[in-house]
Amino acid sequence: MNLNRRAMLTGTGAALAVLAARPLWATSEVMLGNTRILSLSDGHLTLPRDFIFAPMPQEELAPILTQYGLGDGPLTPPCNITLMQSEDRVVLFDAGSGLSFQDTAGKLPDALDSVGLSPEDVTHVVFTHGHPDHLWGVLDDFDEPLFANAEHMMGKAEWEYWLNPNTVNEIESARTTMAVGAKRRLEVLEDAITLFEDGQEILPGVAAHATFGHTPGHMSFELRSGSEAVFVTGDAIGNHHVAFARPDWHSGSDQDKPTAAATRVRLMDKLASEQIPIIGFHLPSGGLGHVERKDDAYRFVPRDS
């Protein structure tokens, strides 16, 4: 497997005054046989600390936050979207935030442009789950599918959860907007959606893995060519610090906290034991790296470290 890292600048020189707000797109590239895999930035989120840390034992949490240099301010996790190019397929894993969620995110169209692609070139959009930073970028400014030529794919359990009219009333109140937004967008996609189940090969070399808990039907994906693979984790592993140090702890970001913690422990063990490279949606360095066991805990080792 050939890996390299490169940075792409969207504006320099005389154009700097016009493009000052546009970031440096960090693109991590992996080759699996003839399949090219890129990690593209959709920007980053700004989250209150309690969104993740509230359910955790605060005294035990404190030294972990110190170890990882996390101060008292908000969390600013990156958003890494995986792009797979193989033969005539251009596959996105998740669609990013779009422009309706947070100002610091929704940059995927610029990232695609930086690698010579447009939304019209995308043939498949595969969703890990229906949260805003993964789904809301699927529509354009006119509420039409942004990836107009693409087949859209989602796990059956996840699809049914967000389309269920009871979800908006049963979900915790802080997530009501998420439920309303997901349902509206998925209804637009209804005629272009393909549903799949756990363990199914949804595209050549792409297998779906149920990683339920963060949402009821969250899916991760194993991209494989022969003996080589990359695992797209979505939000099954939500950060590079406490999720690795204490995967068994409940995280405030997860909808079904006990199930998500059990999933995280199982997934960490698999990834560390099998040394499968990963691309994590909210992990640093483009999300590309591997899981390393450290005593009774784990740590994320970025590809460029």
Side-chain angles (χ1 to χ4, degrees):
M1 180 167 56
N2 299 318
L3 301 102
N4 59 71
R5 183 164 181 82
R6 59 187 178 175
M8 297 186 175
L9 186 63
T10 58
T12 57
L16 187 58
V18 177
L19 299 178
R22 300 183 65 182
L24 182 72
W25 297 118
T27 304
S28 300
E29 181 175 327
V30 183
M31 293 300 297
L32 293 180
N34 294 323
T35 299
R36 182 189 187 208
I37 300 168
L38 299 173
S39 174
L40 301 178
S41 174
D42 191 48
H44 71 272
L45 302 182
T46 302
L47 302 174
R49 297 162 67 81
D50 281 354
F51 183 74
I52 293 175
F53 300 144
M56 300 178 181
Q58 299 300 303
E59 288 187 4
E60 295 178 61
L61 173 65
I64 296 173
L65 302 185
T66 299
Q67 175 188 350
Y68 284 92
L70 297 175
D72 297 329
L75 304 174
T76 56
C79 298
N80 308 304
I81 294 178
T82 302
L83 171 75
M84 184 181 79
Q85 291 181 282
S86 179
E87 299 176 350
D88 58 348
R89 288 184 295 276
V90 178
V91 184
L92 282 178
F93 293 87
D94 291 326
S97 295
L99 301 179
S100 301
F101 187 49
Q102 293 193 3
D103 291 342
T104 57
K107 316 301 183 184
L108 178 59
D110 289 329
L112 285 170
D113 182 66
S114 76
V115 294
L117 294 172
S118 71
E120 291 75 22
D121 296 321
V122 176
T123 61
H124 299 79
V125 180
V126 180
F127 297 104
T128 60
H129 64 295
H131 279 169
D133 50 330
H134 299 257
L135 171 65
W136 283 18
V138 80
L139 300 184
D140 63 18
D141 293 342
F142 302 97
D143 280 351
E144 297 290 337
L146 177 64
F147 307 100
N149 300 322
E151 177 182 358
H152 295 74
M153 310 180 77
M154 179 176 273
K156 184 172 184 289
E158 187 75 359
W159 171 267
E160 291 177 346
Y161 174 74
W162 294 111
L163 266 293
N164 185 335
N166 295 323
T167 294
V168 69
N169 298 316
E170 295 173 353
I171 200 169
E172 61 183 279
S173 59
R175 299 176 189 263
T176 300
T177 301
M178 294 185 181
V180 172
K183 188 172 187 294
R184 181 171 72 81
R185 287 163 176 81
L186 293 178
E187 285 174 340
V188 173
L189 297 178
E190 193 159 7
D191 292 335
I193 201 80
T194 298
L195 304 180
F196 56 84
E197 304 274 5
D198 176 35
Q200 187 174 337
E201 185 178 39
I202 63 170
L203 292 168
V206 180
H209 288 259
T211 46
F212 297 167
H214 182 69
T215 59
H218 186 286
M219 288 283 185
S220 301
F221 302 95
E222 185 173 348
L223 317 184
R224 180 169 291 278
S225 176
S227 62
E228 298 176 339
V230 172
F231 205 91
V232 178
T233 65
D235 280 3
I237 302 174
N239 58 72
H240 70 289
H241 36 82
V242 68
F244 284 81
R246 290 303 303 259
D248 57 316
W249 281 357
H250 290 184
S251 171
S253 64
D254 296 327
Q255 291 186 221
D256 181 341
K257 295 170 179 56
T259 298
T263 292
R264 204 158 37 244
V265 170
R266 172 179 56 82
L267 186 57
M268 289 284 191
D269 182 68
K270 170 184 173 65
L271 295 171
S273 299
E274 300 180 18
Q275 284 295 286
I276 302 175
I278 66 173
I279 299 178
F281 194 89
H282 292 304
L283 301 184
S285 300
L288 180 61
H290 68 273
V291 180
E292 183 177 272
R293 194 186 307 273
K294 185 180 181 182
D295 299 324
D296 294 329
Y298 302 86
R299 71 184 187 106
F300 175 62
V301 182
R303 168 60 188 168
D304 59 359
S305 65

